[in-house]
Every structure is written in structure tokens, then in C-alpha cells.
Amino acid sequence: MTEPASTFHGRASRYDVLVPAPADGSTRARLGRLELTHGVVETPQFMPVGTNATVKALDPADIAATGATIILSNTYHLYLRPGHERIARLGGLHRFMGWDRPILTDSGGFQVVSLGDLRVIDDDGATFRSHLDGSVHRFTPEHAIAVQEALGSDIAVAFDQPVAPSSPRAVVADATERTHRWAARSMAAHGRPDQALFGIVQGGLEPDLRADSTRFIAGLPFDGICLGGLAGDETPEQRDATLDVAVALLADDPRPRYLMGLGSPADLLEAVHRGIDLFDSVLPARVARNGQLWLPGGRMNMRNRQFLDDPRPVQDDCPCPLCRSFSRAYIAHLFRANELLAYRLATCHNLTFTLDFMARIRAAIRSGIFPAVMPELRLRAGRSSGREAAEKSA
Ligand SMILES: [Zn+2]
């Protein structure tokens, strides 16, 4: 490999941009290598979500076999159950869940703020009722960092106040200001030397607020920049425009850029094109558990009767355990019979498809042909994101 185009040395990470975005402006897509305490992550990359210290229905060997090199786990959920102090006593999150590769923990901001009537936000933090038992808890930036330090993830994330993309301007402005103060406090509170710390840009869909937030967060010595407050109720066009504002300001910034919460292959492709390096979403696994399998150019719902007599594999060239050993008829039967194996096999397939898609994107960037093969990759990704939002909320 030739010399990296840029190298960023973080507090517990190193990010090399191996192939920068081309000078002709045909794409902002770039190829990178993120070195973390528990291993290396090639970017652009997708992180499967392990909410409760498990990617639902998969064990760590299954997760690795999908091609995943890093997963996300949720601070809010682990804080409530089984408790971050218990996980720390048991040797940290990696040992607890038997996953020895990189883990990113979110800050809990999204879950806490999503509780609606169950939470109250003030300038110091957020008070909320547990969705499990109604007990009252409080998260401040300092506490969110302490919980993540106890969990021992490779990447911790600053505590923020996300708002729905379509929120009124005054609401977005207020939450963005608070996010900035909380970012500085998260930074000051963080001390674990083997853990990287990312900051979150907010600003909704307002170009000036998004630009201010990007400048503010990028001005702090974080190890990576998260773009929050997207992958919600915005249109694809609004998302693209917002990414163009933020990424243009980060063009010369050597740190990784992470768009939180985006998960359909069509959406991932467009966001890579606009310069995003990291993604996470529950979407591939969630729709798999409902019987929807992703294929090159389309989708199949295995609850559909037509598959009950179909002896073919779900996807011919897929290396996942479902496609290697079983027919469409078998997985269709498992779903109709509510057999647990259906969840594992379907999840393995959709994550394998998603991570293979990211590998294809990386290969195209590496070869310098990404803009040229985008039409082909769009076809492979299948349905675009307009209809995805409806599915996500379903
Ligand atoms: Zn498969």
C-alpha cells in the first residue's frame, strides 16, 4: 500500500485515508483504515447493532461470519440492564458478550430523548423513566461518559440532544446549542486512555445551524465526527443537502465521519458518495426477523406462500449459512412455523448482504472506479429510501 493521503492520531485510534476523494469532484467517497484498541476497521463500513450486548439471534461467530468487523451497542439499554457497573465487574463489554473485535457505544442521547413524555431535558442533563420498570434515572454528559468508560467500548460518543429532522427551527437551534455545551463537558469528563471519543454534530435540516454545529464539533479534539439528527423523517433530498453542507466543511479534516442510524443499501451508497465513512442501523436485522430478505436488485418476503415449494437457495452466490445449506422453501416454512432458527438464518443473510455491499463499495473506491460503477451498485442496492422510512416506522 502506498503512503496514506492523511493520518490522524487519536487518543486511542489512528485513521488513515488510503484513497482520498478525487480532485475532479466526481465523488466525496474515500477509502480508509481505522485502527482501534480491539482491531482494524476498513471504511466505508457498516456496524450491525447489538442493542442488549447481542446482535439479536446471532452469536459472535455468526456476527464475524457476516463480515462485520465492528458492532454498535447501546449505552442506555446496558445501563438499565444488566447495569454498566456489573458489566465492568465481569471484565467489560467485550468479555461479557464474547466479542473480541471493536465496539462503538452510542451515548444514550438518542434513546433517552426518544422517550417522549417519559423524559425531561434541562441544561444539565436529562431525567427519564426506564422503559423497563418506570424507575427514574438521570443522564448528564459526565454520567454518559462514565457509563461508556465502564463498558470499555473502543469508541465512546459524546452525550447529545437529537431532535427529529422536521422539528421547528427554534427547537433545533436550542437542542444544537445544548449539544455543543454537552460535547465540551463530555470531552472534559473522558479519561479512559484505551477508548476513542467521537463528537456529534446536530443542526437538523437548517443549513446554517448544521454548518455552525459542524464547525463547533470539528473544533474540539474528538477522534471522529458523528452526524446526528438524520436517518429520521427527512427526505433523501433533504439528507443529501445536509450532508453536502457538513462534509464540505470537513473536506480537509483527517478524522472519520459517521452518519448515525442509516441502514438500507441504497441509502448507504448515496451517503458514501457524499463522503461518509461509518454507518449503523438495526434495519437489516429488524426486517430479516420479519421475513424480508435482501437480494441483488430486490427483496423477498419469505412469509409469502409462493416460496413454500421453491427449492432454490435464497441467493446463489451468497456465503451465508442460509444460502449455503437451505432452500427458500425451508426458510419460508420456518417463518410460517415461527421457528427460532428463522431469525438466525435470515439475520445472517441480510447482514452478509449488507457487509458484502460495503466491501463492493470499498473495492470500487480502491480501484478508482466508484463513480463509474455507481449505476451498477444502485441496481444491486435495489429499492431506494423513499419507501424505507415507512418500513422503519412500521
Ligand atoms: Zn445468504
Side-chain angles (χ1 to χ4, degrees), residues 294 314-315 317-324 345 348-350 352-353:
W294 293 355
V314 165
Q315 182 187 330
D317 55 354
C318 176
C320 87
L322 169 58
C323 298
R324 258 197 347 257
L345 293 176
C348 284
H349 174 80
N350 275 6
T352 300
F353 179 82

Side-chain angles (χ1 to χ4, degrees), residues 3 22 37 45 89 116 195 267 305 324 362 378 394:
E3 280 290 291
T37 299
Q45 191 59 267
R89 284 196 300 276
Q195 184 177 58
D267 287 347
R305 290 196 68 83
R324 258 197 347 257
R362 291 194 301 275
R378 281 194 183 107

Side-chain angles (χ1 to χ4, degrees), residues 70-101:
I70 177 169
I71 62 167
L72 177 148
S73 206
N74 291 115
T75 296
Y76 164 82
H77 290 280
L78 297 177
Y79 157 80
L80 286 179
R81 183 176 59 193
H84 58 292
E85 286 162 340
R86 175 174 287 130
I87 290 178
R89 284 196 300 276
L90 292 166
L93 183 55
H94 291 87
R95 181 179 296 177
F96 184 60
M97 67 180 291
W99 172 257
D100 59 7
R101 300 188 191 193

Side-chain angles (χ1 to χ4, degrees), residues 332-386:
H333 157 69
L334 292 180
F335 271 112
R336 293 176 86 82
N338 293 321
E339 280 294 337
L340 299 180
L341 183 58
Y343 303 124
R344 171 176 172 248
L345 293 176
T347 304
C348 284
H349 174 80
N350 275 6
L351 287 178
T352 300
F353 179 82
T354 306
L355 289 155
D356 171 75
F357 188 67
M358 299 308 293
R360 287 168 189 268
I361 289 175
R362 291 194 301 275
I365 299 171
R366 190 178 289 115
S367 314
I369 58 168
F370 180 72
V373 299
M374 271 201 72
E376 192 183 306
L377 289 168
R378 281 194 183 107
L379 280 179
R380 189 175 181 88
R383 189 189 297 178
S384 69
S385 70

Side-chain angles (χ1 to χ4, degrees), residues 106-115 159-162 229-231:
D106 65 3
S107 66
F110 181 77
Q111 281 77 22
V112 168
V113 169
S114 301
L115 288 169
F159 193 57
D160 67 325
Q161 184 189 350
L230 290 170

Side-chain angles (χ1 to χ4, degrees), residues 129-215:
R129 283 188 184 277
S130 161
H131 73 288
L132 297 173
D133 61 7
S135 55
V136 176
H137 301 264
R138 185 165 172 79
F139 261 37
T140 61
E142 292 76 15
H143 186 56
I145 293 297
V147 173
Q148 295 179 79
E149 289 189 345
L151 295 173
S153 51
D154 294 76
I155 303 173
V157 171
F159 193 57
D160 67 325
Q161 184 189 350
V163 291
S166 62
S167 303
R169 180 180 170 91
V171 172
V172 175
D174 187 53
T176 302
E177 275 295 309
R178 191 170 289 119
T179 292
H180 294 171
R181 292 194 296 273
W182 288 359
R185 283 170 56 188
S186 297
M187 170 73 64
H190 187 265
R192 188 167 171 147
D194 61 350
Q195 184 177 58
L197 180 64
F198 283 18
I200 305 185
V201 171
Q202 288 291 341
L205 303 176
E206 309 279 339
D208 59 324
L209 297 181
R210 186 58 76 163
D212 287 349
S213 190
T214 304
R215 288 191 200 95

